[in-house]
């Protein structure tokens, strides 16, 4: 039986930490690769939401993400491309609603 109060989240965090420790990709390239992989597996909104903040922190823009989707389109196909675009938009809206964006007024 899995141990701890949040075994699935703990496992995901550990896997992520190992991945980060073992790659020599710069942070921007790493986020580009992860966005492409999320599109390839038709990831849920929650997965995109987890990457919105870190992607912005390393300088990825909406235009960059669109470029990634265009680049992987021939591989993932139109249905996943459109699904990813919708989910990314939803994740961005959720990120703003949760207050993750700086309040610069």
């Amino acid at each position: 039986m899995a141990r701890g109060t949040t075994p699935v989240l703990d496992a995901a965090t550990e896997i992520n930490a190992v991945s980060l420790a073992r790659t020599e990709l710069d942070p921007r390239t790493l986020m580009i690769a992860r966005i492409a992989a999320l599109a390839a597996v038709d990831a849920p909104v929650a997965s995109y939401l987890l990457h919105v903040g870190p992607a912005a922190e390393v300088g990825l823009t909406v235009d960059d993400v669109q470029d990634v989707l265009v680049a992987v389109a021939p591989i993932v196909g139109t249905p996943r491309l459109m699904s990813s675009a919708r989910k990314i938009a939803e994740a961005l809206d959720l990120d703003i609603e949760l207050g993750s964006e700086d309040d610069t007024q």
Side-chain angles (χ1 to χ4, degrees), residues 33-53:
R34 287 186 171 202
I35 298 288
L38 291 173
V41 299
D42 198 21
V45 173
S47 293
Y48 286 104
L49 184 58
L50 291 173
H51 289 81
V52 167

Side-chain angles (χ1 to χ4, degrees), residues 7-25 27 30-31 33-35 37-38 46-47 49-55 57:
V8 175
L9 182 58
D10 293 346
T13 301
E14 290 171 14
I15 291 167
N16 194 42
V18 168
S19 172
L20 292 174
R22 293 192 179 182
T23 184
E24 292 185 18
L25 294 174
L30 176 67
M31 291 311 300
R34 287 186 171 202
I35 298 288
L38 291 173
S47 293
L49 184 58
L50 291 173
H51 289 81
V52 167
E57 287 173 11

